[in-house]
């Protein structure tokens, strides 16, 4: 049976992610788990996350999941969502500076520090439905219209060193990276589980993906 | 192109039913919350807010089931407010499938609760609800104060200062209700909305008083709200969310159609 592990490290609303996956793949076995064995043996792995990145990182260490994530992200289809994306970078400026898992060289930065124009009404967190501009062709974008809107809620964004890692961008008001990819890893800043049809389609595409681009 | 302004239908829930009263009296039944939520989802609502209007122990259990049922079928953000007083209340609602919780009276009686909640769950899921009433006399500069208990109890707190304090403590969003306008169908208090929106850097949801579609547009264009919340205009079939968005789009507001 097709088994999907949603990594549970106590951060955020994992039920929503699991429900959305169950909806697009009623026959798959969706498991919200912190058990390394279950994660290592799953066919697809989802790495979500919400809240403060410092607390997220501390929980990953406490649950001894860092090595597990390094292993699975090197070998099977792996989807990072929100903080689960930000943790894949080298470093985040949040919480006084937090080291990430370094799958993607680059940093995670705060909106306030980089936005020069229209700051008077720039609200942070960036919250709501914004357009996602696909910058590459990728199996996870199958049947998702260019510039579709997805639901975002975040105050920090990723800035990968390698432009080839960028899979999508979004404007707020300046352009930032809203999806990254390499090999069997795909990660998004928005919440596909809260993004209606387009979000469910992306999750369906992920579960149909063999990790080859 | 960029971030869309949001329309958020609000479902006042009592004893497992959607209800809507005019200034908290004359309650009308508006249906089953799951059916109502699905209808708004299909109409293109950007989020849905559930407000537990009595917040009794029994009602909270009912609300948890409502949120669970809706979250398994509706894939847009859900907020739950009313009677959220402890970290355990928040955990229960988030585990049931809510994405955000609204904190109202508990923030007034214990502001540190907002900090505790934001530290624990992240600012992104902490919405502080502010009920404000105009207290300035005619001819004076406008001033608003915070009221609790459905607008019955005054606190003496200045609304703008309070909004700033809530953001400092970790509120990720403010739900601003004008108690003068709530249920009157005479439009948002645009001056209040503008004053709060200018004073804080987090998104502000305008609420209280929507009677026609133009009120929603005004809340954004004049009040500078990031999102608008309404109940009765949608509940009784006067307008759909789609119609509201079309009108907003025609007046230059970016919306998710």
């Amino acid at each position: 049976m097709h088994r999907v592990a949603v990594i549970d490290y106590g951060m955020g609303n994992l039920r929503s992610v699991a429900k959305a996956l169950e909806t697009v793949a009623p026959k798959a076995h969706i498991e919200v788990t912190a058990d390394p064995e279950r994660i290592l043996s799953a066919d697809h792995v989802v790495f979500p996350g919400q809240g403060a990145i410092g607390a997220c990182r501390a929980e990953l260490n406490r649950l001894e999941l860092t090595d597990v994530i390094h292993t699975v992200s090197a070998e099977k289809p792996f989807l990072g969502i929100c903080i689960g994306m930000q943790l894949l970078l080298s470093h985040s400026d949040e919480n006084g500076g937090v080291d990430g898992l370094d799958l993607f060289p680059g940093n995670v930065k705060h909106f306030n520090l980089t936005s020069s124009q229209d700051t008077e009404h720039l609200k942070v967190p960036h919250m709501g439905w914004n357009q996602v501009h696909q910058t590459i062709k990728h199996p996870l974008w199958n049947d998702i219209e260019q510039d579709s809107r997805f639901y975002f809620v975040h105050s920090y964004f990723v800035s990968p060193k390698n432009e080839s890692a960028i899979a999508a961008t979004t404007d707020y008001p300046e352009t930032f990276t809203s999806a990254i990819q390499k090999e069997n890893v795909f990660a998004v800043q928005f919440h596909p589980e809260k993004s209606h049809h387009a979000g469910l389609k992306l999750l369906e595409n992920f579960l149909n993906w063999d990790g080859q681009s | 192109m960029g971030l869309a302004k949001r329309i958020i239908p609000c479902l006042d829930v009592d004893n497992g039913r959607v209800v809507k009263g005019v200034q908290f009296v004359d309650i009308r039944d508006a249906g089953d919350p799951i059916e109502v939520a699905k209808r708004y989802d299909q109409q293109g609502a950007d989020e849905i807010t559930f407000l537990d209007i009595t917040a009794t122990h029994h009602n909270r259990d009912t609300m948890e089931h409502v949120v669970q049922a809706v979250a398994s079928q509706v894939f847009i953000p859900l907020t739950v407010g009313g009677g959220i007083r402890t970290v355990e209340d928040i955990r229960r609602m988030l585990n049931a499938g809510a994405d955000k919780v609204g904190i109202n009276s508990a923030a007034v009686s214990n502001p540190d609760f907002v900090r505790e909640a934001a530290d624990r769950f992240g600012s992104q899921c902490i919405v502080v609800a502010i009920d404000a009433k105009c207290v300035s006399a005619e001819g004076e500069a406008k001033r608003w104060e915070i009221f609790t208990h459905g607008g019955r109890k005054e606190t003496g707190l200045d609304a703008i200062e309070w909004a700033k304090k809530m953001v400092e403590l970790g509120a990720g969003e403010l739900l601003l209700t004008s108690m003068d306008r709530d249920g009157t169908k005479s439009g948002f208090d645009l001056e209040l909305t503008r004053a709060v929106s200018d004073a804080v850097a987090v998104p502000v949801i305008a609420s209280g008083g929507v009677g026609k579609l133009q009120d929603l547009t005004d809340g954004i264009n004049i009040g500078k709200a990031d999102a608008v919340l309404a109940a009765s205009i949608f509940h009784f079939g006067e307008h759909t969310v789609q119609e509201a968005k079309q009108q907003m789009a025609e007046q230059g507001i970016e919306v998710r159609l």
Side-chain angles (χ1 to χ4, degrees):
Chain A
M1 194 185 192
H2 185 180
R3 222 157 49 71
V4 183
V6 178
I7 301 177
D8 177 11
Y9 55 111
M11 290 293 162
N13 178 358
L14 303 180
R15 190 191 175 86
S16 294
V17 178
K19 282 283 168 200
L21 291 165
E22 282 165 17
T23 301
V24 297
K27 288 185 183 151
H29 180 67
I30 316 291
E31 201 170 351
V32 177
T33 178
D35 180 350
E37 288 308 313
R38 302 301 290 173
I39 298 168
L40 289 165
S41 62
D43 300 301
H44 282 76
V45 176
V46 179
F47 181 39
Q50 255 177 25
I53 200 166
C56 289
R57 188 73 171 99
E59 278 305 284
L60 282 184
N61 290 348
R62 192 181 67 80
L63 295 165
E64 296 178 352
L65 287 173
T66 309
D67 289 344
V68 174
I69 290 169
H70 275 295
T71 305
V72 291
S73 63
E75 59 188 33
K76 54 184 88 197
F78 183 94
L79 177 67
I81 299 173
C82 196
I83 300 282
M85 173 207 216
Q86 296 181 0
L87 280 166
L88 303 181
L89 278 285
S90 319
H91 182 84
S92 171
D93 292 341
E94 194 178 351
N95 301 133
V98 173
D99 282 334
L101 300 171
D102 205 20
L103 260 66
F104 292 86
N107 287 319
V108 184
K109 305 172 184 173
H110 195 261
F111 273 115
N112 281 354
L113 305 177
T114 53
S115 300
S116 54
Q117 42 167 310
D118 196 27
T119 45
E120 195 191 339
H121 279 103
L122 186 71
K123 297 295 180 87
V124 179
H126 170 228
M127 188 186 285
W129 299 80
N130 206 336
Q131 289 180 303
V132 171
H133 187 77
Q134 303 159 20
T135 52
I136 56 164
K137 269 186 97 71
H138 193 281
L140 264 73
W141 295 136
N142 281 352
D143 297 323
I144 296 175
E145 225 176 286
Q146 178 62 293
D147 298 323
S148 289
R149 288 187 187 274
F150 289 83
Y151 188 82
F152 287 83
V153 49
H154 62 124
S155 301
Y156 290 79
F157 63 91
V158 302
S159 179
K161 272 211 181 88
N162 301 332
E163 268 195 34
S164 59
I166 299 173
T169 60
T170 295
D171 295 343
Y172 189 65
E174 288 174 12
T175 302
F176 70 92
T177 300
S178 51
I180 51 176
Q181 60 79 39
K182 72 169 185 190
E183 295 152 13
N184 52 301
V185 177
F186 199 89
V188 294
Q189 179 59 66
F190 50 83
H191 289 271
E193 76 280 11
K194 286 287 154 184
S195 296
H196 215 247
H197 296 316
L200 294 179
K201 187 70 210 174
L202 186 132
L203 292 175
E204 189 186 341
N205 288 343
F206 172 65
L207 296 184
N208 288 330
W209 184 39
D210 60 3
Q212 315 284 315
S213 45
Chain B
M1 298 300 275
L3 185 65
K5 300 295 180 183
R6 290 168 280 154
I7 295 188
I8 308 175
C10 178
L11 281 55
D12 289 351
V13 179
D14 179 27
N15 206 15
R17 298 289 291 178
V18 181
V19 296
K20 186 62 201 172
V22 176
Q23 282 171 326
F24 296 93
V25 292
D26 185 23
I27 304 281
R28 287 168 74 185
D29 187 281
D32 169 55
I34 297 154
E35 293 309 312
V36 176
K38 280 164 74 176
R39 187 168 78 227
Y40 291 146
D41 173 55
Q42 283 157 12
Q43 289 178 8
D46 296 305
E47 297 183 21
I48 294 174
T49 289
F50 297 93
L51 210 52
D52 179 352
I53 61 164
T54 49
T56 58
H57 188 70
H58 167 75
N59 225 21
R60 199 148 40 225
D61 293 343
T62 311
M63 187 62 115
E64 207 178 326
H65 295 302
V66 167
V67 172
Q68 270 174 12
V70 173
S72 63
Q73 301 175 47
V74 169
F75 299 101
I76 59 175
L78 306 175
T79 302
V80 181
I84 302 288
R85 305 190 173 280
T86 64
V87 163
E88 186 50 34
D89 291 336
I90 298 176
R91 185 190 306 285
R92 274 178 74 180
M93 289 308 172
L94 296 181
N95 283 343
D99 300 282
K100 308 184 222 178
V101 293
I103 301 175
N104 192 344
S105 307
V108 176
S109 51
N110 176 22
D112 260 343
F113 176 51
V114 174
R115 189 203 303 274
E116 190 189 353
D119 284 349
R120 194 72 160 267
F121 303 102
S123 289
Q124 85 290 338
C125 69
I126 305 300
V127 183
V128 170
I130 296 179
D131 293 344
K133 229 181 215 181
C134 186
V135 294
S136 47
E138 217 165 305
E140 254 186 331
K142 284 268 188 166
R143 218 155 41 74
W144 298 267
E145 282 182 8
I146 303 301
F147 282 69
T148 59
H149 298 81
R152 294 188 302 275
K153 202 172 149 196
E154 61 173 306
T155 64
L157 296 162
D158 178 79
I160 310 298
E161 291 310 312
W162 181 249
K164 288 187 195 165
K165 182 173 174 182
M166 290 299 103
V167 173
E168 273 166 33
L169 290 176
E173 194 173 31
L174 300 177
L175 168 56
L176 177 67
T177 303
S178 160
M179 301 312 293
D180 301 304
R181 299 299 179 90
D182 199 39
T184 64
K185 292 185 166 279
S186 56
F188 296 122
D189 182 336
L190 297 172
E191 282 178 88
L192 168 67
T193 308
R194 177 70 195 252
V196 172
S197 189
D198 282 348
V200 298
V202 302
V204 172
I205 307 165
S207 155
V210 174
K212 55 186 188 304
L213 293 183
Q214 186 62 38
D215 294 337
L216 299 171
T217 306
D218 289 347
I220 287 163
N221 278 346
I222 303 171
K224 302 289 174 202
D226 300 281
V228 286
L229 180 135
S232 47
I233 188 176
F234 299 129
H235 289 342
F236 301 108
E238 287 169 58
H239 295 287
T240 64
V241 175
Q242 194 72 21
E243 278 170 24
K245 286 190 167 183
Q246 259 145 20
Q247 206 231 33
M248 283 161 71
E250 280 161 20
Q251 295 186 44
I253 295 172
E254 191 156 350
V255 291
R256 163 182 163 256
L257 285 170

